[in-house]
């Protein structure tokens, strides 16, 4: 029997979105995972970026038990997360032309690296310019976005383009414009956003693919183990030492 409570409806909506991703984005997930595996095998480094709530899925990839140790967070002060005060400052900074270039100029990103950019709308200046400038530097870009925004909204970048237009691989989260899955009589606005759970799941599917591709090539994936299991710290210390030149969150 279907659960028609708001909680049940939200969980059903999230499950339906994940099924759509599985059935409709499988090729893109495989391509993204292979791109990351190629980067690792070729000596490149991995980075992830997101602004505001989109940063949550990017952060979930970094220093993560069961995740790739080489995944580094590309942080932009005042934009990553909602800890900046006031929180609305982050949204304002995401619309500033030129900021991405400044960030990349002072970052360790270089040709041969891979960058995951998470932006639900993909319309703001920062993620669009981040993708454009990164590719100019020879960095491969994976964009995680809702392609629907490109048909329902206008770009906020001076080029008039969206994140999806500047990526080597695009992962469409299939999230509806507005990022709210439920409506209820008496509630004046739609509510219950699903973008975080869906985007995080998509990216973990990409990580799983990358690990499997590396194994198929005879390369041990540089995975981290939980520090809360016996031997976890020792395992991680070995990985950190082996890949010290490609891990920046420990420096």
């Amino acid at each position: 029997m279907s659960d028609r409570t708001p909680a049940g409806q939200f969980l059903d909506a999230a499950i339906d979105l994940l099924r759509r991703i599985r059935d409709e984005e499988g090729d893109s997930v495989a391509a993204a995972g292979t791109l990351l595996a190629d980067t690792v095998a070729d000596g490149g480094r991995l980075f992830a970026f997101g602004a505001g709530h989109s940063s949550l899925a990017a952060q979930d990839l970094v220093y993560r038990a069961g995740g790739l140790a080489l995944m580094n967070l590309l942080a932009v002060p005042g934009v990553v997360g909602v800890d900046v005060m006031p929180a609305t400052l982050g949204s304002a900074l995401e619309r500033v032309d030129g900021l991405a270039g400044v960030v990349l100029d002072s970052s360790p990103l270089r040709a041969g690296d891979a960058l995951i950019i998470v932006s639900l709308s993909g319309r703001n200046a920062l993620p669009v310019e981040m993708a454009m400038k990164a590719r100019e530097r020879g960095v491969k870009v994976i964009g995680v976005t809702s392609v629907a925004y490109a048909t329902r909204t206008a770009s906020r970048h001076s080029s008039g383009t969206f994140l999806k237009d500047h990526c080597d691989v695009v992962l469409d989260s299939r999230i509806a414009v507005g990022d709210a899955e439920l409506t209820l009589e008496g509630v004046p606005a739609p509510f219950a956003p699903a973008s975080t759970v869906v985007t995080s799941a998509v990216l973990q599917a990409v990580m799983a693919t990358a690990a499997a591709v590396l194994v198929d090539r005879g390369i041990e994936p540089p995975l981290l183990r939980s520090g809360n299991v016996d031997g976890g710290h020792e395992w991680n210390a070995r990985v950190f030492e082996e890949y010290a030149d490609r891990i920046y969150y420990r420096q």
Side-chain angles (χ1 to χ4, degrees):
M1 178 180 293
S2 177
D3 181 356
R4 300 311 297 167
T5 66
Q9 291 179 57
F10 172 76
L11 292 172
D12 285 343
I15 290 168
D16 288 344
L17 282 165
L18 291 174
R19 285 183 175 138
R20 285 193 66 190
I21 297 293
R22 180 195 63 194
D23 297 340
E24 301 173 16
E25 292 295 311
D27 289 345
S28 296
V29 169
T34 301
L35 188 156
L36 294 184
D38 289 343
T39 303
V40 173
D42 292 341
R45 293 86 54 79
L46 310 179
F47 294 84
F49 167 77
H53 288 93
S54 289
S55 177
L56 296 176
Q59 293 182 60
D60 189 48
L61 299 176
V62 180
Y63 188 46
R64 190 71 166 86
L68 291 173
L70 275 58
M71 186 61 67
N72 302 279
L73 185 68
L74 183 61
V76 179
V79 171
V80 178
V82 292
D83 56 337
V84 62
M85 296 297 289
T88 52
L89 175 60
S91 297
L93 288 174
E94 194 177 358
R95 301 176 187 179
V96 175
D97 280 343
L99 180 57
V102 174
V103 170
L104 290 174
D105 285 343
S106 60
S107 79
L109 269 168
R110 67 188 184 198
D113 293 343
L115 172 62
I116 295 171
I117 300 177
V118 184
S119 174
L120 176 60
S121 72
R123 68 188 295 220
N124 288 311
L126 181 55
V128 173
E129 185 181 319
M130 187 78 74
M132 295 172 66
K133 297 296 185 181
R135 293 183 85 192
E136 289 175 4
R137 288 163 167 76
V139 174
K140 297 293 186 181
V141 175
I142 298 170
V144 188
T145 187
S146 172
V147 173
Y149 275 83
T151 62
R152 297 275 303 278
T153 67
S155 170
R156 288 177 173 147
H157 187 256
S158 56
S159 67
T161 60
F162 287 75
L163 170 61
K164 72 176 185 64
D165 299 317
H166 306 284
C167 298
D168 296 279
V169 179
V170 176
L171 296 169
D172 186 356
S173 65
R174 308 287 172 155
I175 298 294
V177 174
D179 191 18
E181 295 299 320
L182 302 184
T183 58
L184 187 66
E185 186 177 353
V187 179
F191 59 102
S195 60
T196 302
V197 64
V198 170
T199 302
S200 291
V202 169
L203 286 174
Q204 291 302 339
V206 170
M207 297 302 115
T209 301
V213 171
L214 287 169
V215 170
D216 286 344
R217 297 178 183 178
I219 300 172
E220 180 184 324
L223 297 170
L224 295 175
R225 299 191 68 181
S226 172
N228 295 313
V229 300
D230 292 341
H233 287 300
E234 292 77 13
W235 173 283
N236 293 342
R238 175 183 64 82
V239 175
F240 289 150
E241 181 177 1
E242 182 176 354
Y243 292 96
D245 61 332
R246 293 197 259 174
I247 297 173
Y248 291 88
Y249 52 83
R250 298 189 72 242
Q251 297 179 2

